[in-house]
Amino acid sequence: MWSISSCQDGSGDKKGALGSNIAEKVYVAPGEHDEFYAFVSGGFSGQLAVYGLPSGRLFRVIPVFSVDAEKAYGFNEETKPMLETSYGFVPWDDSHHPDLSQTNGEIDGRWCFINGNNTPRIARISLQTFETEEIIEIPNSAGNHSSSFVTENTEYVVAGTRFSVPAPQVDMPIAEYKGKFKGAMSFIKVNPEDGHMNLEFQIMMPGFNYDLAHPGRGKSHGWMFFSTYNTEEAHTLLEVNASQNDKDFIAAVNWKKAEEYMAAGKFKEMPADYRHNVYDESTHSATSNKMTTVKVLDPTELPGLVYFLPTPKSPHGCDVDPSGEFIIGSGKLSASLTAHSFPKMLAAIESESFDGEAYGIPILKYEDVVGGIVEQAGLGPLHTEFDGKGNAYTTFFISSEVVKWKLGTWEVVDRQPTYYSVGHLMIPGGNSRKPFGKYLLAMNKITKDRYLPTGPELTQSAQLFDISGDKMQLLLDFPTVGEPHYAAGLPASLITENSKKYYKLEENNHPYAIKSESEAKVVREGNVVHIYMTTIRSHFAPDNIEGVKVGDMVYFHVTNLEQDFDVPHGIGVIGANTSELLIMPGQTETFVWNPKKVGVWPFYCTDFCSALHQEMQGYVRVSPADSNIELTWSLDDE
Ligand code: RUQ
Ligand code: CUA
């Protein structure tokens, strides 16, 4: 066992973080680019952060499930619908697992998906614009944790419920949980052309907790594997009551079979209440659509749809190796790792060699499906990723380390401490047939003494390891935004070519867009005032507006006329109880202002856009509600 005090600064270990060649390995010189992008979830920040590897530099925080005043996400009229749910406007979530789109089992650089845990949702982010383009809510689900994992041709993104709940929801005693609560597994179909998502079907499973998932690939393509805990179906004091069974399950779901059952009409249509929010890049606006039904498959009545693989003991991670042969279950309360064999699983299913059933779902025999065991590898195993060279890397929360072991021989070949208490790890391309096994990113829950103190709340942290050699080598600590829960990474070259530089004005179909300053105008409709405004270095058109009254609802529709890379303008108005707008070249955004006081009130550009940025300003004259000052607007009236 290592101890914190002897390892924390690498002293006495010249190959540790103080080794002189280490700095070179992570140093990306000014003007040079990183080799990989890492998309790191923000955990309880609800967002997705983009870092470069190996430098660990933060490039951008992409707002997904939480409002972001910096980017006006969730504040401007265009993106407010993105955060609509069946519970109303929900401007926060807990985002855990990003995953990247794939073609033929390889990362293709088109989209990143990520789950919202708390109010179950899945988001799709464009890797051309780095904007959230779509959010779909998941009905019948609670704690959308085994999500969002992508199949090898991005056929589906899955969402398994962590908490089982009454489905449909009903007012009932909690003590009647057992047998009555259900665990929905949702399969969200992804349109291969534009990425648009549709909740294709749900499989209504017994009331266990469905924790994590990974898709089959290669030979196991067509299957999805979910880890479960609380197969005891306890409803109180789970730390004791859900740790009774010696083994819980990995649920193997044959989604190709599910497609057959769907095509044969073997589903039930169930009423459901959920939202599907889509951002349209041509109108620069989102719409929120109310959905009312979901198609449900019942695995207790549909043979061959789901099998249970017994797995010790409250498994958490559920990871599939690049060949698709092994499914690794990490029992949180077990010292060993279980690798189930997919071919053995098929053989056991074929010979109907079952160990009973749970709610009509066959349980396979543990001995029949186990392909190998990594014995006594560490304490508190959580997650495993692969380097594509026959090695696997597992995180251990309690013993705070990453352990490298060999697929097939199951022997441990290296272990390195993490500082401290690692949760997930990420190897770029880790959830694919072709990982890029050069770096490993460990995401740690606790940092204690690693950074300068910042009051009671310390930063969370990621640690970068070089895994190109036999031994893992710690290269870098870097602090992260929110909780670095999990990440997905890919070579930068898969994104850079396609990255959007600006929006073409002629393709801007926003209903309140104007394409030139001559079209600028102010229109009154009762007490609603629409300002059609443009912005270009270094003025607004119009820049002076009179005739607005206290109590009006004033919409600023601002189009950025710039047609060049990296020239956003912003706008903020005194007293506006919303964020500023940050408008990209060629884009239109809108915010509402309710003037509450008589006077002459300034607005200004909030983004330092040019040498005359500070001149970029204007005024709105606000008169009493009963005044009859005429509505006028101007630019350069001198
Ligand atoms: S889980 S730290 Cu929310 Cu991804 Cu294992
Ligand atoms: Cu436009 Cu500053």
Side-chain angles (χ1 to χ4, degrees):
M1 250 347 230
W2 57 278
S3 84
I4 289 178
S5 58
S6 66
C7 288
Q8 64 185 3
D9 61 5
S11 59
D13 175 7
K14 279 288 154 242
K15 289 203 217 83
L18 297 185
S20 63
N21 66 327
I22 300 287
E24 282 165 35
K25 288 194 166 186
V26 298
Y27 184 65
V28 177
E32 299 289 307
H33 290 172
D34 279 282
E35 189 180 350
F36 293 93
Y37 283 100
F39 294 88
V40 182
S41 74
F44 44 68
S45 85
Q47 315 293 48
L48 181 66
V50 188
Y51 299 86
L53 299 181
S55 72
R57 297 181 296 188
L58 173 65
F59 300 144
R60 182 173 171 81
V61 175
I62 301 173
V64 183
F65 296 113
S66 300
V67 293
D68 182 348
E70 180 191 340
K71 301 178 182 71
Y73 183 82
F75 289 99
N76 63 16
E77 295 305 296
E78 288 77 10
T79 57
K80 276 181 187 169
M82 292 300 281
L83 300 176
E84 284 297 333
T85 74
S86 62
Y87 307 92
F89 183 77
V90 177
W92 169 83
D93 216 306
D94 182 17
S95 62
H96 276 204
H97 307 118
D99 203 5
L100 298 165
S101 58
Q102 302 184 18
T103 305
N104 297 324
E106 294 183 17
I107 304 297
D108 61 23
R110 290 185 295 167
W111 306 299
C112 184
F113 299 87
I114 190 166
N115 64 321
N117 248 306
N118 185 57
T119 303
R121 288 175 275 181
I122 288 183
R124 181 177 54 81
I125 291 112
S126 159
L127 297 185
Q128 282 193 357
T129 60
F130 284 52
E131 306 264 8
T132 303
E133 286 193 328
E134 193 173 2
I135 294 181
I136 190 163
E137 190 181 353
I138 314 293
N140 295 324
S141 194
N144 176 35
H145 195 259
S146 32
S147 178
S148 55
F149 300 99
V150 177
T151 58
E152 75 171 23
N153 279 303
T154 321
E155 294 95 338
Y156 294 97
V157 178
V158 301
T161 193
R162 172 176 159 205
F163 307 111
S164 280
V165 287
Q169 275 289 2
V170 62
D171 173 17
M172 67 175 276
I174 297 166
E176 291 172 20
Y177 175 124
K178 202 168 190 156
K180 296 217 170 111
F181 283 28
K182 291 279 180 272
M185 286 174 181
S186 305
F187 283 72
I188 290 93
K189 185 126 188 115
V190 180
N191 182 312
E193 299 307 318
D194 54 18
H196 281 179
M197 300 189 285
N198 178 52
L199 175 51
E200 198 76 358
F201 58 88
Q202 292 190 315
I203 302 178
M204 208 52 88
M205 296 286 291
F208 309 153
N209 292 36
Y210 298 90
D211 207 11
L212 280 144
H214 266 99
R217 57 179 63 98
K219 62 189 80 167
S220 53
H221 180 56
W223 291 75
M224 182 66 71
F225 303 94
F226 293 84
S227 59
T228 71
Y229 65 102
N230 192 23
T231 52
E232 297 85 351
E233 294 177 80
H235 64 271
T236 180
L237 196 62
L238 262 61
E239 64 173 307
V240 177
N241 296 327
S243 305
Q244 299 300 307
N245 292 350
D246 187 42
K247 296 191 176 65
D248 297 278
F249 302 126
I250 283 178
V253 177
N254 185 340
W255 58 258
K256 291 236 161 124
K257 193 86 186 161
E259 287 182 335
E260 288 170 23
Y261 282 131
M262 287 298 293
K266 301 279 190 204
F267 57 84
K268 288 194 186 81
E269 193 123 9
M270 212 174 120
D273 180 18
Y274 63 104
R275 290 302 185 101
H276 182 195
N277 308 330
V278 183
Y279 183 82
D280 179 338
E281 201 184 290
S282 128
T283 60
H284 302 283
S285 304
T287 45
S288 178
N289 306 297
K290 211 169 144 47
M291 312 299 284
T292 54
T293 61
V294 61
K295 294 178 172 131
V296 175
L297 294 173
D298 181 352
T300 67
E301 286 173 5
L302 300 171
L305 185 56
V306 184
Y307 298 92
F308 286 134
L309 284 61
T311 308
K313 180 151 195 188
S314 300
H316 183 61
C318 177
D319 298 287
V320 179
D321 84 294
S323 75
E325 178 166 356
F326 297 111
I327 303 112
I328 320 299
S330 304
K332 297 187 291 283
L333 305 175
S334 162
S336 307
L337 303 171
T338 308
H340 294 300
S341 154
F342 180 74
K344 283 181 145 189
M345 181 192 98
L346 286 188
I349 292 170
E350 185 72 24
S351 64
E352 303 198 335
S353 160
F354 300 138
D355 199 1
E357 40 89 25
Y359 294 100
I361 297 170
I363 303 171
L364 297 166
K365 291 204 182 97
Y366 175 71
E367 315 73 63
D368 286 355
V369 292
V370 170
I373 292 171
V374 186
E375 300 280 4
Q376 302 289 332
L379 296 177
L382 292 181
H383 299 282
T384 301
E385 298 236 330
F386 309 89
D387 63 5
K389 298 175 235 165
N391 302 302
Y393 302 75
T394 301
T395 52
F396 289 84
F397 179 80
I398 297 171
S399 51
S400 188
E401 58 188 337
V402 178
V403 173
K404 176 179 176 181
W405 51 275
K406 280 201 167 324
L407 283 157
T409 69
W410 320 111
E411 63 188 316
V412 170
V413 292
D414 188 26
R415 60 178 67 237
Q416 291 294 331
T418 57
Y419 308 100
Y420 308 95
S421 298
V422 59
H424 277 271
L425 75 172
M426 181 276 280
I427 293 172
N431 173 34
S432 79
R433 281 204 213 186
K434 197 180 134 201
F436 303 88
K438 184 169 179 185
Y439 297 112
L440 181 159
L441 193 68
M443 285 154 271
N444 304 323
K445 309 292 187 193
I446 295 167
T447 53
K448 297 279 189 206
D449 48 13
R450 298 300 283 183
Y451 301 100
L452 290 174
T454 50
E457 191 189 2
L458 300 176
T459 183
Q460 299 202 16
S461 177
Q463 290 190 299
L464 187 73
F465 290 83
D466 178 343
I467 55 165
S468 59
D470 288 342
K471 298 283 174 199
M472 297 176 269
Q473 187 180 34
L474 178 60
L475 301 180
L476 180 72
D477 280 15
F478 63 92
T480 55
V481 177
E483 181 207 7
H485 190 95
Y486 184 38
L490 77 176
S493 57
L494 286 173
I495 290 185
T496 48
E497 294 292 284
N498 297 325
S499 195
K500 187 120 189 152
K501 294 203 159 56
Y502 60 88
Y503 298 96
K504 291 199 179 119
L505 256 189
E506 67 264 27
E507 293 173 5
N508 179 338
N509 293 319
H510 190 291
Y512 291 94
I514 51 173
K515 308 291 174 75
S516 72
E517 286 182 3
S518 61
E519 296 170 59
K521 61 182 174 182
V522 183
V523 177
R524 175 180 286 284
E525 294 164 2
N527 67 345
V528 174
V529 176
H530 290 284
I531 301 173
Y532 294 73
M533 181 179 270
T534 64
T535 169
I536 195 164
R537 280 163 290 178
S538 299
H539 58 269
F540 294 99
D543 67 354
N544 286 324
I545 298 163
E546 302 198 358
V548 169
K549 297 182 229 173
V550 167
D552 280 347
M553 222 21 192
V554 182
Y555 288 88
F556 284 78
H557 306 285
V558 188
T559 302
N560 181 349
L561 297 179
E562 306 278 358
Q563 290 288 271
D564 197 0
F565 192 20
D566 201 21
V567 198
H569 294 282
I571 180 171
V573 181
I574 191 170
N577 61 354
T578 177
S579 86
E580 50 94 57
L581 295 180
L582 186 63
I583 311 143
M584 296 303 124
Q587 198 174 35
T588 305
E589 291 193 16
T590 302
F591 73 90
V592 191
W593 181 53
N594 297 107
K596 295 190 179 69
K597 296 183 191 172
V598 167
V600 180
W601 307 104
F603 57 87
Y604 69 101
C605 177
T606 52
D607 191 277
F608 207 106
C609 52
S610 65
L612 298 174
H613 156 77
Q614 209 66 349
E615 278 68 22
M616 209 167 161
Q617 64 169 57
Y619 288 102
V620 183
R621 175 181 172 185
V622 177
S623 306
D626 59 359
S627 86
N628 44 22
I629 303 279
E630 196 192 339
L631 194 62
T632 55
W633 60 93
S634 62
L635 172 69
D636 195 14
D637 63 357
E638 301 206 327

